[in-house]
Amino acid sequence: MSALFEPFTLRSLTIPNRVWMAPMCQYSADDHGPDMGVPHDWHFAHLAARAVGGAGLILTEATAVSPEGRISPADLGLWNDRQVAAFRRITSFLEAHGAVPAVQLAHAGRKASTERPWRGGGPAGPEAYGWTTVAPSPLPFAEGYPAPRELTKDDIAQVVADFAAAARRALAAGFKVVEIHGAHGYLINGFLSPHSNHRTDEYGGSFENRTRFALEVVDAVRAVWPEELPVFFRISATDWLTENAEDDREGWTADETVRFAKDLAAHGVDLLDTSTGGNAPDAVIPTAPGYQVPFAARVREETGLPVGAVGLITDPAQAEEIVASGRADAVLLGRELLRDPYWPLRAATALGLPPRRPAQYRRAA
């Protein structure tokens, strides 16, 4: 028996195991023209390989709800029907090979309009099809980044509507799970944290005000997403500012994450995908194997909301212990699945289970 390879049911959806693929940008879509934001053969091959490799649930990279919500000009989107048709080819293959197709819907906020990492990263200028970014407050993400435009209340309402429209398209594209990206300094996280939200209206200041936009997005998505299918929310459980005694800046905290998790559950979120950081580029983060697992475990213990754990989870025995001990309901692998698309098959073998190989590969067992 292995906890890592037990099925997991949320609402009416049963996921075949607890080894899931975390969202990872590929920066490989067309950056302009009619195919902007459309997944193509690279995305198909990338995601299909992890389904063949045995992942129980596969989350796409951050998929923008509008063109200006992309992290880079080469990111995927779900703001038009051309994108829906291309995604449908991918989701059909994932389901046919035993994986649950899931999409992470995102708006990058002040961290949008950046270059591909292999082109140096940093802000993308007009020559690289960049654009003016938006945020809760006109505060640059880091030195060398432009100040974003502060969103008006009408702008906020439009972004909420964009998330709902993208969720409708996600359903049409064949996705079974939608995850709302509220982590890593992108737009929703930007509203949550006092480090990046200096507003004085009903979207800033108090905890209730800073979480208002996120809950409006959740409500809008949940309203158009089928009752029988789950909604995930990805969060940065801490900015790694307030917890650092040597840093006098105020940020989003683990205590606030636990409090907010209860609100998310009340608004129809089924699982909290628990990461950390990303909102303050110079925050001191004490990384180590499984360093983010305690944040997930605390949410699960104090709220009862199912959680996913992510971050430097690389070993089958380590992953098994995280799930078997009840610290998380699933593990999400990122870089480890880039290194080895067949990690779930190897993990099953290491834990003494028959791996879920496709029939075409069984002679290699």
Side-chain angles (χ1 to χ4, degrees):
M1 298 295 292
S2 165
L4 194 61
F5 288 92
E6 281 291 307
F8 184 51
T9 298
L10 290 168
R11 299 192 183 237
S12 70
L13 181 71
T14 297
I15 304 163
N17 62 44
R18 316 297 183 94
V19 184
W20 302 351
M21 180 176 171
M24 290 174 285
C25 288
Q26 297 297 290
Y27 310 102
S28 296
D30 285 1
D31 52 18
H32 69 290
D35 284 333
M36 184 171 71
V38 175
H40 55 67
D41 285 350
W42 173 263
H43 304 93
F44 180 90
H46 167 64
L47 297 170
R50 277 75 195 170
V52 171
L57 178 143
I58 294 177
L59 272 158
T60 66
E61 64 187 77
T63 301
V65 300
S66 62
E68 60 274 13
R70 292 169 294 162
I71 299 169
S72 84
D75 284 4
L76 298 181
L78 257 177
W79 64 79
N80 66 42
D81 293 340
R82 193 181 187 98
Q83 295 156 345
V84 170
F87 269 120
R88 196 177 294 120
R89 175 189 177 217
I90 293 171
T91 59
S92 296
F93 185 93
L94 301 187
E95 279 205 287
H97 290 272
V100 172
V103 61
Q104 184 186 72
L105 299 181
H107 191 298
R110 66 179 183 166
K111 292 177 72 174
S113 188
T114 57
E115 267 284 19
R116 298 165 177 84
W118 52 85
R119 293 186 182 176
E127 73 288 349
Y129 305 104
W131 59 91
T132 300
T133 60
V134 297
S137 302
L139 305 171
F141 169 63
E143 186 177 350
Y145 279 69
R149 179 176 65 81
E150 180 172 304
L151 290 166
T152 67
K153 292 178 187 178
D154 286 344
D155 293 331
I156 291 171
Q158 182 59 58
V159 175
V160 172
D162 290 341
F163 269 93
R168 288 192 191 95
R169 289 192 172 94
L171 185 64
F175 289 104
K176 301 302 181 187
V177 174
V178 63
E179 175 172 278
I180 298 165
H181 197 350
H184 301 158
Y186 300 122
L187 186 61
I188 292 175
N189 188 199
F191 272 90
L192 294 177
S193 175
H195 175 69
S196 45
N197 183 348
H198 293 186
R199 298 177 75 98
T200 58
D201 62 5
E202 64 265 40
Y203 290 97
S206 68
F207 172 87
E208 290 81 7
N209 284 358
R210 287 183 283 112
T211 59
R212 187 184 307 277
F213 171 61
L215 293 177
E216 288 179 352
V217 170
V218 169
D219 288 345
V221 169
R222 188 76 263 184
V224 302
W225 194 247
E227 181 68 24
E228 66 271 17
L229 294 178
V231 170
F232 294 179
F233 190 97
R234 183 166 237 199
I235 197 164
S236 283
T238 174
D239 286 341
W240 294 106
L241 297 178
T242 307
E243 283 86 349
N244 184 351
E246 298 180 0
D247 197 323
D248 59 2
R249 294 174 293 176
E250 187 180 8
W252 180 259
T253 68
D255 288 344
E256 288 180 307
T257 291
V258 172
R259 181 179 174 185
F260 187 45
K262 297 173 184 177
D263 293 339
L264 290 171
H267 285 254
V269 167
D270 300 286
L271 180 139
L272 193 68
D273 179 0
T274 312
S275 186
T276 65
N279 197 32
D282 56 348
V284 177
I285 303 177
T287 57
Y291 71 104
Q292 296 175 143
V293 175
F295 297 97
R298 183 182 170 192
V299 169
R300 192 175 191 269
E301 179 180 355
E302 296 186 26
T303 72
L305 181 66
V307 298
V310 64
L312 290 179
I313 299 170
T314 60
D315 181 75
Q318 173 199 21
E320 172 73 14
E321 188 279 330
I322 290 167
V323 176
S325 66
R327 294 195 288 161
D329 297 280
V331 294
L332 291 100
L333 305 185
R335 290 174 176 86
E336 190 64 16
L337 279 177
L338 292 184
R339 288 186 281 266
D340 181 4
Y342 301 100
W343 190 96
L345 300 182
R346 287 198 304 102
T349 300
L351 295 170
L353 299 172
R356 193 191 76 209
R357 286 189 177 91
Q360 296 91 331
Y361 287 2
R362 286 176 191 162
R363 59 184 153 179

